[in-house]
Amino acid sequence: MRAARTAALCLTCLMLLSGCTSGSREPDELTVVRLAAADSDGKTVTVTAFPAPLEGGEEKEEGQETRTGTGADPAEACLMLASDGGSFAFLGHTEHILVGDAMAGQGIRALLECAVLGDSMRPDAYLWLVEGDTAAVWGQAAGGDNGAKKLSAYCTDSGTRRKVMAWTAAQSLNRLLRTGVAPVPVLPAGGGEPEGYALLTEEGKAGILKNEDAEGLELLLGQTCHHTLKAGEIVLEVVSVSTEVEPVWSKGTFYGVEVTCRLTARRANGSNWAEKNVADAENELKQWAEARLNAVWEKLKAWNVDGGELRHRALTASAWQTEKLKADWPDELSRLRIAFSVETHIDF
C-alpha cells in the first residue's frame, strides 16, 4: 500500500512539473516583462506591462502591446496584471519600474514594498519618475519594451559614462526607511532623456532637482555621471567623486557637520593644455563643485529633506556617540551648521 501511494505521489508531481494538468500554461503562453509602469488616480493603482518580444520575434517602435492590471494597491494590481488575458505575465524579469507623477505625489512605499517584499517585480529593478504625466504614456512614447534598453543605457557605463544615477527598488526602500527620503531620476513627459532627480518621501514628492542642483546632489552623495566643463584653456571630464561627512563636536556638544568632497578629473581628448594652466584649472574645478554643493544645500534646507543622507552618514562616522548625536541633531535642516570643503586633482 505504501509503495502504491508513493508511486501515485510521484506521478502527480511529474504531471505538475510537466504541465500535464488542465490549468497548466504552455511555455509559449508566458509573457516576459522588462518594463513596467505604475500609475494611480487617487483611488486605485494601475500597473502597465510592456511585454518583451518573443525570441526571434520582431521589435516594434510603435503600437507596442500592453497588459494592465488595476487594484486597490500595487500588489493587487500586479496580481490582476499577471492573470490578465490568455497568457501569464511574468514580472520576475522586470528591469525598470516607471512611476507616474500622480502616484509619486501620494508616496511610493507600497510600490517599493511590493517590488522588494512581494513575489511580483524584481527588487533590483531600477526606479524612475515620469514628471507631469503618467508612467504608461512615457512607456508607450519610448517604444514599449525598447524603453527598457534606453533606460539601461542612461544609467550604466557601456562605452560612455552614465548620464544619470539610478537606484533599485531595494536601494530606494532602504533609503526611504533609513532617511525618510529616496532620490529617483526624473524622466520628462513624452519619452525624453532623464533630467534631474525627484526627492520622494513617504508622504509624496518633496521636490525636483535639475541642472546645477542635480549635479550638487550627485556630489553630495559621492557619485558622479558624465560631467564635462571648461576650466580656463582646458576641457575637463570629472571621472570620480568621493564625499565624507564628519560630525563636529565642541566641548562634548554636537556643533555641526563637515562635508569633504574629493574630485578627480582628466583632460578631455584633444584638449590643449600647458603646465602653467593646471593650477587655474584646479581652482575652477573647485569653484564648480562648491557652487553646486551650496546650491543643492539651499534646496534641501528649504524642503527640509535629508537628500544627502547627512544624519545617517554622521552617525556612521561617530558610532561611539550615536545616542548623543541623535539627541542633538536638529529637527529642521535650516538649523544644521554645515561646512563644505572641496579637494581636486587633475590627472593628465
Side-chain angles (χ1 to χ4, degrees), residues 138-320:
W138 192 98
Q140 284 283 16
D145 178 70
N146 287 331
K149 298 178 182 178
K150 297 177 183 178
L151 294 175
S152 294
Y154 294 149
C155 63
T156 57
D157 289 319
S158 54
T160 59
R161 295 193 61 77
R162 71 188 80 191
K163 294 184 178 181
V164 70
M165 301 305 306
W167 297 272
T168 66
Q171 291 171 329
S172 298
L173 179 60
N174 185 30
R175 272 198 164 102
L176 189 66
L177 297 178
R178 189 177 65 206
T179 67
V181 57
V184 177
V186 172
L187 297 167
E193 295 189 358
E195 48 181 36
Y197 304 95
L199 298 180
L200 305 183
T201 66
E202 291 205 36
E203 292 73 29
K205 183 172 60 179
I208 293 180
L209 302 169
K210 293 185 179 182
N211 303 319
E212 292 185 0
D213 297 332
E215 294 170 351
L217 181 67
E218 293 170 5
L219 296 177
L220 189 58
L221 292 173
Q223 298 175 310
T224 185
C225 298
H226 178 68
H227 296 310
T228 302
L229 66 148
K230 187 173 182 180
E233 300 298 324
I234 305 174
V235 178
L236 298 175
E237 293 180 346
V238 179
V239 294
S240 70
V241 176
S242 65
T243 306
E244 295 179 357
V245 178
E246 292 285 344
V248 178
W249 301 89
S250 176
K251 298 180 180 180
T253 301
F254 174 66
Y255 181 81
V257 293
E258 184 176 75
V259 178
T260 304
C261 181
R262 298 180 176 88
L263 294 88
T264 299
R266 66 185 176 194
R267 179 174 60 93
N269 291 337
S271 173
N272 296 322
W273 70 283
E275 195 70 35
K276 62 183 179 63
N277 295 328
V278 174
D280 291 339
E282 288 188 334
N283 186 52
E284 290 197 34
L285 178 61
K286 180 178 180 180
Q287 293 178 1
W288 176 87
E290 289 175 341
R292 279 148 182 77
L293 286 169
N294 283 290
V296 73
W297 176 239
E298 291 302 317
K299 289 290 179 65
L300 297 181
K301 284 195 302 181
W303 299 335
N304 196 33
V305 291
D306 190 5
E309 298 187 309
L310 299 176
R311 180 177 182 272
H312 172 75
R313 294 159 76 183
L315 287 170
T316 303
S318 59
W320 63 93

Side-chain angles (χ1 to χ4, degrees), residues 5 10 12 29 38 46 68 71 84 89 109 133 144 182 189 199 206 209 243 259 268 282 290 293 310 319 330:
R5 288 179 178 175
C10 291
T12 302
E29 293 181 279
T46 299
T68 61
D84 177 45
R109 179 169 176 173
D133 208 342
L199 298 180
L209 302 169
T243 306
V259 178
E282 288 188 334
E290 289 175 341
L293 286 169
L310 299 176

Side-chain angles (χ1 to χ4, degrees), residues 37-62:
D39 293 296
S40 175
D41 60 3
K43 297 180 180 179
T44 59
V45 174
T46 299
V47 176
T48 304
F50 300 90
L54 296 175
E55 185 175 352
E58 296 182 359
E59 296 188 10
K60 302 177 181 179
E61 287 291 338
E62 298 180 357

